[in-house]
Amino acid sequence: MAFDIEMIKKLYADFGNRIEAARKVVGKPLTLTEKILYAHLWQGKATTAYDRGKSYVDFAPDRVAMQDATAQMALLQFMQSGRSKVAVPSTVHCDHLIEAKVSSSIDLDRAKQESSEVYDFLASVSNKYGIGFWKPGAGIIHQVVLENYAFPGGMMIGTDSHTVNAGGLGMIAIGVGGADACDVMAGLAWELKMPKLIGIKLTGKLNGWLAPKDVILKVAGILTVKGGTGAVVEYFGEGATSMSCTGKGTICNMGAEIGATTSTFGYDDSMSRYLKATGREDIAAEADKIKEHLTGDAEVYANPEAYFDQVIEIDLSTLEPHLNGPFTPDLATPISKMKEAAAANGWPTKIEVGLIGSCTNSSYEDISRAVSLARQVKEKGLKLHSEFTITPGSEQVRYTIDRDGFLDVFNNIGATVFANACGPCIGMWARVGAEKAEKNTIVHSFNRNFAKRADGNPNTFAFVGSPEIVTAMAIAGTLEFNPLTDTLTNDKGEQVKLDPPTGYELPPKGFEVDDPGFQKPAEDGSGVQVIVSPTSKRLQLLAPFAAWEGTDLKGLKLLIKAKGKCTTDHISMAGPWLKFRGHLDNISNNMLIGAINFFNEKTDSVKNQLTGEYGTVPNTQRAYKAAGIGTLVVGDENYGEGSSREHAAMEPRHLGVRAVLVKSFARIHETNLKKQGMLALTFANKEDYDKIQEDDTIDIIGLTEFTPNKPLQIQLHHKNGSTDLITVNHTYNEQQIEWFKAGGALNIIRKEFAEKNK
């Protein structure tokens, strides 16, 4: 039986009525996205139509999911809210703190020892506040959610940008910062700007070497890393319904790489099959009763241009497998063009490592299709020419593929099976030799390939592909190989061709697992003690941020003018820094150390205006904080792209940065800054970015009349005595301005609960 089935039944019971009310106020047929959003309005039934891209709307998500790295800060904040139990079903998943180094069991045992303090904290705080806890080794959050919690027509938020994976089961699932999660767990509404809609019509069917991953790799090439910003991507058409549920999840998962709010598919037979295969026949039965409400209206899909803000059509019968990269997930190259592209760009063609798995591609179907290629190594007298690793997505998948002999196939060709965790995908990979920073190439089936992300080496050229393509490329060992057309030389000197991959959508003998790794919370957690040592280096109880002074901010110093791509990995690196995700002061020592300083083209080297000397970004900022001087961070386009990690907002806030001024923001990061009481500003004229000078002193003017849709002004005082006055925009609404004034959203929550419980 499914988790939280009564909650799902209650939602479904009123689903049709809410959609009918929405259809009346909107005045036209509805997309699936609109149906789910309007069915989850905080107010209940819709009474007005909201403007896409303009209206801020309060929603009531059904559940919250948190991974261990972000859960620490989310729950440290929740502990200050005054609640005795979470208001909606919530879960914690321990997947980020397990470093891939030797093998599954050895790496897992080491993580349990090294992070025992964090795991004990998360287990106890979950037990106290009614939160489901998935132990280390249970699996990657998004795979575990798809197997246990995702359901058609639901709305979920999660403290990880790849929460969107649950769209594979027809959800609206959105990545958020921990402060947003805290709000929802505390029983408050969750605010989102009504997203725009991108419709992607899939015609034809996948065949041969083609995989669902190739769909999103193609889409990323079309839309780029920010083309989906502020929008939900809705897939439809015969190509969508003919695809597996987990394949849909892969596509939705990597939708985070185009900046999309989320992606989703309509309920169909593949979702029903997956629900039944994962022990949730009861949800499938309930969904079948309202299935007409769990997909877009027929008129929408018949004439999509009239209902979506943008429509893209992809013919799967003519689509080609892709490899995207290096250094960005939207540089899309068809496999037939890779040899040519590598030569033209000087990419290293020798593939050192092929890695499959991760939250994006670790389903039974993914692994079974990769195994069909791995078997051919022995059968055809071939050998691996690259290292090869497998990261299962969950203990249920790992146990089942072990039972079915898949792990033996991988072991027999010399592959390494890592723990059921994120591992190399998030930089938790102790790769031998990475510290030498040698130029090299890897291929993987993950979602992101930013510089330094997987192994910390800025010279690792990472390419993203399907598990099938990655496996084939690892066998060949070179980017110049096209498995669709090329042959390989076997141990007899013969030219042999790899047969196209085959596999199973679901395990023929069903899923099986001995211990899934779940801890059910106590019915009454009032007696559970949550202990955080005051001397801990891993955990630190939070202190409230200070409220706004009530004046314009004057005399700020420029901390850094970041040049080019500045993702959350640049602002708050993962990898070895993950161990400090529960200790705000310690992790703040990685603040912006990956950002490139416009003025010297270096990372982690900025000018301290107090001394005239150059130092690290965190140390320079700490010097300003000690002197009582606020600072400004300046950035380029799509600032804060990537992970949902709110540490990228909390660290600057903690160290005394007052505002971030950029050409444009990634959605989640902008929201995170607002939640923490920061000023998130954009240039009204992007060319004003060029006016920012290294020794500037800065005033932010207009805060005493801070109101929605009214620009602010920034006065730049240059070292030579000249000044520039520039206009800056913001997207704050009335409520968000109150967050700023109060010093952060959590300060308001705490105050409200204190007054309520007097």
Side-chain angles (χ1 to χ4, degrees):
M1 183 173 170
F3 287 97
D4 309 307
I5 185 63
E6 294 306 316
M7 175 269 286
I8 296 170
K9 287 181 177 179
K10 182 179 178 181
L11 174 71
Y12 282 179
D14 200 33
F15 215 78
N17 292 331
R18 290 199 171 200
I19 288 171
E20 188 55 39
R23 195 179 281 116
K24 286 180 180 178
V25 298
V26 173
K28 59 181 180 180
L30 299 176
T31 64
L32 169 65
T33 302
E34 290 171 313
K35 289 182 179 182
I36 300 176
L37 291 175
Y38 277 105
H40 285 85
L41 294 178
W42 180 259
Q43 70 184 49
K45 290 182 181 178
T47 56
T48 185
Y50 296 103
D51 292 334
R52 298 177 194 166
K54 295 181 180 179
S55 301
Y56 282 95
V57 186
D58 285 342
F59 292 102
D62 300 308
R63 64 179 315 110
V64 173
M66 297 164 281
Q67 40 94 334
D68 50 355
T70 51
Q72 296 171 61
M73 198 58 68
L75 292 173
L76 285 166
Q77 291 177 85
F78 178 78
M79 288 170 66
Q80 298 185 61
S81 71
R83 296 278 309 203
S84 59
K85 193 171 186 178
V86 290
V88 301
S90 304
T91 53
V92 167
H93 305 259
C94 296
D95 61 0
H96 272 56
L97 302 178
I98 303 168
E99 184 182 48
K101 184 175 184 179
V102 182
S103 65
S104 175
S105 59
I106 293 174
D107 294 345
L108 181 58
D109 287 344
R110 187 176 69 256
K112 288 179 178 178
Q113 291 179 353
E114 292 178 352
S115 296
S116 59
E117 182 181 12
V118 172
Y119 292 145
D120 289 346
F121 165 72
L122 292 174
S124 62
V125 76
S126 296
N127 198 28
K128 182 175 184 65
Y129 293 108
I131 299 168
F133 179 72
W134 291 82
K135 303 173 185 177
I140 306 173
I141 176 173
H142 312 302
Q143 181 69 26
V144 173
V145 165
L146 197 71
E147 292 174 3
N148 294 277
Y149 298 110
F151 66 95
M155 174 182 264
M156 178 176 72
I157 62 169
T159 59
D160 189 284
S161 55
H162 294 103
T163 298
V164 295
N165 187 80
L169 251 176
M171 290 194 90
I172 290 293
I174 300 175
V176 300
D180 278 353
C182 177
D183 286 359
V184 174
M185 290 189 292
L188 303 181
W190 176 63
E191 182 188 72
L192 178 72
K193 184 181 288 186
M194 197 68 172
K196 293 185 177 182
L197 302 178
I198 298 174
I200 298 185
K201 182 178 182 179
L202 302 180
T203 61
K205 292 184 179 181
L206 298 172
N207 60 80
W209 284 91
L210 207 61
K213 184 65 161 271
D214 296 304
V215 175
I216 187 58
L217 295 177
K218 176 69 173 179
V219 170
I222 295 171
L223 289 175
T224 77
V225 291
K226 62 176 184 176
T229 302
V232 172
V233 181
E234 184 172 325
Y235 292 84
F236 60 95
E238 63 173 339
T241 55
S242 66
M243 202 180 294
S244 69
C245 175
T246 52
K248 293 179 175 71
T250 292
I251 292 171
C252 292
N253 180 297
M254 216 177 144
E257 274 41 82
I258 58 172
T261 302
T262 192
S263 305
T264 195
F265 287 78
Y267 178 64
D268 60 19
D269 289 343
S270 72
M271 295 184 190
S272 177
R273 291 193 297 272
Y274 187 73
L275 286 168
K276 292 170 183 174
T278 51
R280 292 173 287 172
E281 297 89 347
D282 42 1
I283 294 180
E286 294 297 323
D288 287 341
K289 295 176 185 177
I290 62 164
K291 59 184 177 182
E292 73 273 17
H293 300 312
L294 299 175
T295 189
D297 288 336
E299 299 93 330
V300 169
Y301 297 152
N303 185 24
E305 287 79 8
Y307 301 95
F308 292 97
D309 298 291
Q310 181 179 356
V311 177
I312 297 169
E313 185 168 334
I314 297 175
D315 183 357
L316 301 183
S317 61
T318 61
L319 185 63
E320 186 179 342
H322 279 61
L323 276 176
N324 284 24
F327 306 125
T328 185
D330 60 349
L331 182 55
T333 305
I335 195 69
S336 64
K337 303 293 184 183
M338 180 52 70
K339 180 178 180 180
E340 176 186 332
N345 291 284
W347 298 334
T349 56
K350 182 178 185 296
I351 297 171
E352 301 293 340
V353 191
L355 309 97
I356 67 170
S358 85
C359 68
T360 323
N361 278 110
S362 57
S363 68
Y364 187 90
E365 180 179 45
D366 290 328
I367 302 300
S368 70
R369 285 173 63 84
V371 160
S372 75
L373 294 168
R375 285 196 178 106
Q376 296 179 52
V377 173
K378 294 286 186 182
E379 294 169 355
K380 299 192 175 188
L382 299 169
K383 67 175 182 178
L384 280 176
H385 282 83
S386 309
E387 291 182 42
F388 190 52
T389 72
I390 298 93
T391 304
S394 70
E395 176 59 14
Q396 179 167 264
V397 166
R398 190 213 62 80
Y399 191 97
T400 304
I401 62 175
D402 188 20
R403 178 202 67 190
D404 293 347
F406 294 173
L407 294 186
D408 289 338
V409 174
F410 288 133
N411 289 328
N412 288 339
I413 65 170
T416 299
V417 179
F418 287 138
N420 313 323
C422 299
C425 184
I426 60 162
M428 290 295 280
W429 182 21
R431 185 184 179 191
V432 176
E435 72 283 353
K436 298 176 183 178
E438 294 174 337
K439 194 173 180 180
N440 76 104
T441 285
I442 64 175
V443 292
H444 61 58
S445 68
F446 307 159
N447 40 46
R448 290 189 175 142
N449 56 348
F450 305 139
K452 302 175 72 172
R453 181 170 175 89
D455 61 3
N457 179 2
N459 296 314
T460 292
F461 289 61
F463 295 85
V464 183
S466 69
E468 298 93 319
I469 290 295
V470 170
T471 304
M473 302 304 277
I475 294 171
T478 175
L479 285 179
E480 297 179 337
F481 178 64
N482 179 357
L484 283 70
T485 58
D486 296 349
T487 59
L488 297 168
T489 304
N490 70 5
D491 55 9
K492 297 178 181 178
E494 302 167 335
Q495 295 300 301
V496 297
K497 198 164 181 284
L498 292 173
D499 298 325
T502 59
Y504 300 95
E505 175 186 344
L506 296 163
K509 294 189 289 185
F511 283 109
E512 193 174 343
V513 65
D514 183 18
D515 177 11
F518 176 69
Q519 172 187 290
K520 184 179 180 181
E523 290 293 331
D524 179 3
S526 59
V528 177
Q529 294 296 312
V530 179
I531 300 174
V532 176
S533 169
T535 60
S536 172
K537 295 181 180 180
R538 299 288 299 271
L539 296 163
Q540 179 186 46
L541 294 176
L542 295 175
F545 290 132
W548 172 55
E549 302 91 323
T551 62
D552 288 341
L553 300 181
K554 296 187 176 182
L556 306 181
K557 298 296 185 182
L558 176 70
L559 175 61
I560 186 172
K561 180 178 175 178
K563 179 181 179 181
K565 187 184 282 286
C566 192
T567 72
T568 49
D569 278 342
H570 296 90
I571 305 168
S572 175
M573 288 184 178
W577 290 95
L578 285 173
K579 66 172 67 76
F580 299 121
R581 283 284 179 87
H583 197 295
L584 183 55
D585 194 58
N586 282 347
I587 199 170
S588 293
N589 288 322
N590 77 1
M591 185 189 74
L592 284 160
I593 63 175
I596 297 173
N597 183 356
F598 178 91
F599 299 105
N600 61 11
E601 300 281 338
K602 294 181 180 180
T603 59
D604 203 21
S605 175
V606 294
K607 188 174 184 179
N608 182 336
Q609 293 188 46
L610 301 178
T611 64
E613 298 176 351
Y614 285 84
T616 68
V617 183
N619 285 346
T620 303
Q621 180 56 41
R622 287 184 186 276
Y624 287 134
K625 182 179 181 180
I629 297 172
T631 59
L632 176 77
V633 169
V634 174
D636 215 317
E637 296 280 9
N638 207 29
Y639 184 87
E641 166 194 348
S643 167
S644 70
R645 70 192 65 150
E646 66 186 324
H647 299 77
M650 295 187 77
E651 292 173 32
R653 181 73 165 102
H654 171 65
L655 292 184
V657 176
R658 300 304 302 268
V660 179
L661 171 62
V662 301
K663 293 180 181 178
S664 64
F665 282 106
R667 175 190 62 85
I668 299 176
H669 186 62
E670 181 181 22
T671 300
N672 285 346
L673 289 169
K674 292 178 179 180
K675 283 277 184 177
Q676 301 303 333
M678 294 273 284
L679 282 172
L681 308 172
T682 56
F683 291 100
N685 177 4
K686 293 183 180 182
E687 293 180 357
D688 286 342
Y689 172 89
D690 298 324
K691 295 179 179 177
I692 308 292
Q693 298 179 21
E694 189 170 30
D695 292 291
D696 280 349
T697 298
I698 300 147
D699 300 334
I700 301 177
I701 302 167
L703 290 175
T704 54
E705 298 176 352
F706 193 12
T707 53
N709 304 313
K710 183 179 180 181
L712 299 171
Q713 289 189 311
I714 285 184
Q715 182 110 43
L716 304 172
H717 300 272
H718 305 306
K719 189 176 182 180
N720 63 7
S722 65
T723 62
D724 275 305
L725 186 66
I726 64 175
T727 301
V728 295
N729 294 330
H730 65 85
T731 60
Y732 287 74
N733 59 25
E734 293 284 2
Q735 178 177 305
Q736 293 167 347
I737 289 172
E738 292 305 311
W739 297 344
F740 167 74
K741 291 179 177 178
L746 186 58
N747 289 348
I748 294 177
I749 295 173
R750 186 188 305 105
K751 182 180 178 181
E752 288 176 348
F753 273 108
E755 292 176 350
K756 185 178 179 181
N757 295 321
K758 278 183 180 179

